[in-house]
Tab-separated table of all heavy atoms in Angstrom:
chain	number	residue	atom	x	y	z
A	636	PHE	N	-35.611	-16.956	150.599
A	636	PHE	CA	-34.693	-15.869	150.316
A	636	PHE	C	-35.123	-14.574	150.992
A	636	PHE	O	-34.379	-13.610	151.015
A	636	PHE	CB	-34.575	-15.664	148.802
A	636	PHE	CG	-33.626	-16.625	148.167
A	636	PHE	CD1	-34.099	-17.661	147.392
A	636	PHE	CD2	-32.269	-16.511	148.380
A	636	PHE	CE1	-33.224	-18.561	146.817
A	636	PHE	CE2	-31.385	-17.403	147.808
A	636	PHE	CZ	-31.866	-18.423	147.025
A	648	PRO	N	-35.198	-11.340	146.726
A	648	PRO	CA	-34.722	-12.558	146.059
A	648	PRO	C	-33.512	-12.248	145.180
A	648	PRO	O	-33.212	-11.092	144.896
A	648	PRO	CB	-35.928	-12.967	145.200
A	648	PRO	CG	-37.104	-12.294	145.823
A	648	PRO	CD	-36.576	-11.011	146.372
A	649	PRO	N	-32.801	-13.287	144.733
A	649	PRO	CA	-31.662	-13.077	143.834
A	649	PRO	C	-32.098	-12.373	142.558
A	649	PRO	O	-33.249	-12.462	142.139
A	649	PRO	CB	-31.186	-14.504	143.538
A	649	PRO	CG	-31.716	-15.331	144.649
A	649	PRO	CD	-33.011	-14.715	145.048
A	650	LEU	N	-31.157	-11.683	141.939
A	650	LEU	CA	-31.443	-10.948	140.712
A	650	LEU	C	-30.861	-11.701	139.522
A	650	LEU	O	-29.638	-11.843	139.426
A	650	LEU	CB	-30.843	-9.549	140.793
A	650	LEU	CG	-31.347	-8.691	141.953
A	650	LEU	CD1	-30.569	-7.385	142.030
A	650	LEU	CD2	-32.835	-8.421	141.818
A	651	PHE	N	-31.716	-12.173	138.641
A	651	PHE	CA	-31.262	-12.881	137.450
A	651	PHE	C	-31.355	-11.924	136.260
A	651	PHE	O	-32.301	-11.958	135.489
A	651	PHE	CB	-32.092	-14.148	137.239
A	651	PHE	CG	-31.894	-15.176	138.314
A	651	PHE	CD1	-32.799	-15.294	139.359
A	651	PHE	CD2	-30.785	-16.001	138.300
A	651	PHE	CE1	-32.601	-16.227	140.371
A	651	PHE	CE2	-30.583	-16.947	139.299
A	651	PHE	CZ	-31.487	-17.055	140.344
A	652	VAL	N	-30.344	-11.088	136.143
A	652	VAL	CA	-30.315	-10.072	135.095
A	652	VAL	C	-29.123	-10.248	134.161
A	652	VAL	O	-28.936	-9.455	133.234
A	652	VAL	CB	-30.281	-8.650	135.699
A	652	VAL	CG1	-31.523	-8.383	136.539
A	652	VAL	CG2	-29.009	-8.446	136.538
A	653	GLY	N	-28.303	-11.268	134.387
A	653	GLY	CA	-27.066	-11.412	133.634
A	653	GLY	C	-27.213	-12.009	132.255
A	653	GLY	O	-26.284	-11.962	131.453
A	654	ASP	N	-28.378	-12.614	131.966
A	654	ASP	CA	-28.580	-13.319	130.694
A	654	ASP	C	-27.517	-14.384	130.479
A	654	ASP	O	-27.166	-14.701	129.341
A	654	ASP	CB	-28.607	-12.352	129.505
A	654	ASP	CG	-29.934	-11.614	129.402
A	654	ASP	OD1	-30.957	-12.222	129.725
A	654	ASP	OD2	-29.929	-10.439	129.008
A	655	ASP	N	-27.019	-14.933	131.563
A	655	ASP	CA	-26.018	-15.996	131.506
A	655	ASP	C	-25.912	-16.589	132.908
A	655	ASP	O	-25.800	-15.847	133.885
A	655	ASP	CB	-24.668	-15.437	131.053
A	655	ASP	CG	-23.629	-16.518	130.855
A	655	ASP	OD1	-23.064	-16.994	131.866
A	655	ASP	OD2	-23.382	-16.910	129.706
A	656	LEU	N	-25.921	-17.919	132.989
A	656	LEU	CA	-25.874	-18.584	134.291
A	656	LEU	C	-24.624	-18.195	135.070
A	656	LEU	O	-24.692	-17.938	136.274
A	656	LEU	CB	-25.932	-20.099	134.104
A	656	LEU	CG	-25.758	-20.951	135.370
A	656	LEU	CD1	-26.834	-20.643	136.394
A	656	LEU	CD2	-25.751	-22.445	135.011
A	658	LEU	N	-22.776	-15.452	134.889
A	658	LEU	CA	-22.837	-14.072	135.373
A	658	LEU	C	-23.868	-13.927	136.482
A	658	LEU	O	-23.654	-13.167	137.436
A	658	LEU	CB	-23.146	-13.126	134.219
A	658	LEU	CG	-22.052	-13.019	133.158
A	658	LEU	CD1	-22.495	-12.114	132.019
A	658	LEU	CD2	-20.745	-12.506	133.770
A	659	ASP	N	-24.979	-14.641	136.379
A	659	ASP	CA	-25.953	-14.609	137.469
A	659	ASP	C	-25.341	-15.174	138.745
A	659	ASP	O	-25.631	-14.699	139.848
A	659	ASP	CB	-27.207	-15.404	137.089
A	659	ASP	CG	-28.114	-14.641	136.136
A	659	ASP	OD1	-28.132	-13.395	136.202
A	659	ASP	OD2	-28.794	-15.281	135.323
A	660	PHE	N	-24.473	-16.179	138.598
A	660	PHE	CA	-23.780	-16.750	139.750
A	660	PHE	C	-22.853	-15.709	140.372
A	660	PHE	O	-22.845	-15.520	141.600
A	660	PHE	CB	-22.990	-17.980	139.309
A	660	PHE	CG	-22.330	-18.731	140.434
A	660	PHE	CD1	-23.079	-19.489	141.323
A	660	PHE	CD2	-20.953	-18.686	140.600
A	660	PHE	CE1	-22.474	-20.188	142.356
A	660	PHE	CE2	-20.332	-19.384	141.636
A	660	PHE	CZ	-21.097	-20.134	142.504
A	662	ASN	N	-23.271	-12.604	140.177
A	662	ASN	CA	-24.167	-11.575	140.715
A	662	ASN	C	-24.895	-11.997	141.984
A	662	ASN	O	-25.702	-11.224	142.504
A	662	ASN	CB	-25.219	-11.202	139.663
A	662	ASN	CG	-24.642	-10.413	138.504
A	662	ASN	OD1	-23.558	-9.845	138.599
A	662	ASN	ND2	-25.364	-10.391	137.386
A	663	SER	N	-24.609	-13.182	142.495
A	663	SER	CA	-25.287	-13.627	143.720
A	663	SER	C	-24.823	-12.842	144.940
A	663	SER	O	-25.411	-12.959	146.013
A	663	SER	CB	-25.083	-15.134	143.938
A	663	SER	OG	-23.706	-15.444	144.046
A	683	ALA	N	-31.082	-23.455	147.051
A	683	ALA	CA	-32.264	-22.711	146.617
A	683	ALA	C	-31.942	-21.844	145.407
A	683	ALA	O	-32.732	-21.759	144.453
A	683	ALA	CB	-32.792	-21.850	147.773
A	684	TRP	N	-30.779	-21.208	145.414
A	684	TRP	CA	-30.373	-20.383	144.273
A	684	TRP	C	-30.192	-21.237	143.023
A	684	TRP	O	-30.635	-20.867	141.927
A	684	TRP	CB	-29.073	-19.644	144.588
A	684	TRP	CG	-28.682	-18.662	143.529
A	684	TRP	CD1	-28.956	-17.323	143.502
A	684	TRP	CD2	-27.973	-18.934	142.312
A	684	TRP	NE1	-28.459	-16.753	142.358
A	684	TRP	CE2	-27.851	-17.722	141.612
A	684	TRP	CE3	-27.430	-20.086	141.761
A	684	TRP	CZ2	-27.211	-17.621	140.376
A	684	TRP	CZ3	-26.790	-20.007	140.523
A	684	TRP	CH2	-26.684	-18.788	139.849
A	685	LEU	N	-29.527	-22.368	143.167
A	685	LEU	CA	-29.285	-23.249	142.022
A	685	LEU	C	-30.595	-23.744	141.420
A	685	LEU	O	-30.713	-23.894	140.197
A	685	LEU	CB	-28.414	-24.437	142.448
A	685	LEU	CG	-26.958	-24.100	142.800
A	685	LEU	CD1	-26.275	-25.293	143.450
A	685	LEU	CD2	-26.188	-23.662	141.558
A	686	LYS	N	-31.587	-23.983	142.264
A	686	LYS	CA	-32.901	-24.383	141.757
A	686	LYS	C	-33.553	-23.253	140.980
A	686	LYS	O	-34.091	-23.467	139.893
A	686	LYS	CB	-33.802	-24.825	142.918
A	686	LYS	CG	-33.431	-26.178	143.513
A	686	LYS	CD	-34.459	-26.597	144.552
A	686	LYS	CE	-34.185	-27.987	145.075
A	686	LYS	NZ	-35.226	-28.457	146.004
A	687	LEU	N	-33.531	-22.052	141.542
A	687	LEU	CA	-34.120	-20.906	140.855
A	687	LEU	C	-33.429	-20.642	139.527
A	687	LEU	O	-34.065	-20.236	138.552
A	687	LEU	CB	-34.036	-19.667	141.738
A	687	LEU	CG	-34.969	-19.609	142.945
A	687	LEU	CD1	-34.663	-18.373	143.779
A	687	LEU	CD2	-36.424	-19.597	142.515
A	688	ALA	N	-32.134	-20.881	139.481
A	688	ALA	CA	-31.351	-20.646	138.268
A	688	ALA	C	-31.517	-21.763	137.246
A	688	ALA	O	-31.083	-21.623	136.108
A	688	ALA	CB	-29.885	-20.487	138.628
A	689	GLY	N	-32.132	-22.872	137.660
A	689	GLY	CA	-32.300	-24.000	136.752
A	689	GLY	C	-31.044	-24.840	136.610
A	689	GLY	O	-30.930	-25.646	135.690
A	797	LEU	N	-23.669	-5.297	139.338
A	797	LEU	CA	-24.219	-6.405	138.561
A	797	LEU	C	-23.638	-6.449	137.152
A	797	LEU	O	-23.479	-5.420	136.489
A	797	LEU	CB	-25.743	-6.288	138.487
A	797	LEU	CG	-26.476	-6.468	139.817
A	797	LEU	CD1	-27.946	-6.099	139.678
A	797	LEU	CD2	-26.332	-7.901	140.321
A	798	MET	N	-23.330	-7.659	136.694
A	798	MET	CA	-22.780	-7.875	135.368
A	798	MET	C	-23.827	-8.521	134.472
A	798	MET	O	-24.758	-9.179	134.945
A	798	MET	CB	-21.531	-8.747	135.436
A	798	MET	CG	-20.436	-8.177	136.311
A	798	MET	SD	-18.930	-9.181	136.290
A	798	MET	CE	-18.312	-8.801	134.644
A	808	ARG	N	-26.675	-1.960	125.429
A	808	ARG	CA	-27.245	-2.077	126.775
A	808	ARG	C	-26.283	-1.473	127.800
A	808	ARG	O	-25.075	-1.746	127.784
A	808	ARG	CB	-27.509	-3.550	127.098
A	808	ARG	CG	-28.098	-3.793	128.485
A	808	ARG	CD	-28.399	-5.275	128.682
A	808	ARG	NE	-28.720	-5.570	130.069
A	808	ARG	CZ	-28.931	-6.805	130.536
A	808	ARG	NH1	-28.865	-7.838	129.720
A	808	ARG	NH2	-29.202	-6.983	131.823
A	811	CYS	N	-28.105	-2.981	134.234
A	811	CYS	CA	-28.471	-4.355	134.590
A	811	CYS	C	-29.922	-4.606	134.209
A	811	CYS	O	-30.270	-5.655	133.686
A	811	CYS	CB	-28.223	-4.600	136.068
A	811	CYS	SG	-29.116	-3.474	137.184
A	812	SER	N	-30.761	-3.611	134.455
A	812	SER	CA	-32.154	-3.627	133.994
A	812	SER	C	-32.700	-2.209	134.125
A	812	SER	O	-32.219	-1.421	134.946
A	812	SER	CB	-33.015	-4.595	134.805
A	812	SER	OG	-33.344	-4.052	136.069
A	815	LEU	N	-34.267	-1.745	137.687
A	815	LEU	CA	-33.376	-1.613	138.835
A	815	LEU	C	-32.538	-0.335	138.781
A	815	LEU	O	-32.418	0.386	139.762
A	815	LEU	CB	-32.453	-2.827	138.928
A	815	LEU	CG	-33.104	-4.150	139.312
A	815	LEU	CD1	-32.099	-5.279	139.186
A	815	LEU	CD2	-33.641	-4.086	140.732
Side-chain angles (χ1 to χ4, degrees):
F636 278 107
L650 301 173
F651 294 99
V652 299
D654 283 325
D655 185 282
L656 174 60
L658 293 177
D659 283 330
F660 185 72
N662 289 342
S663 59
W684 187 95
L685 291 169
K686 287 186 175 184
L687 288 175
L797 293 170
M798 302 184 73
R808 180 177 169 185
C811 58
S812 77
L815 291 173

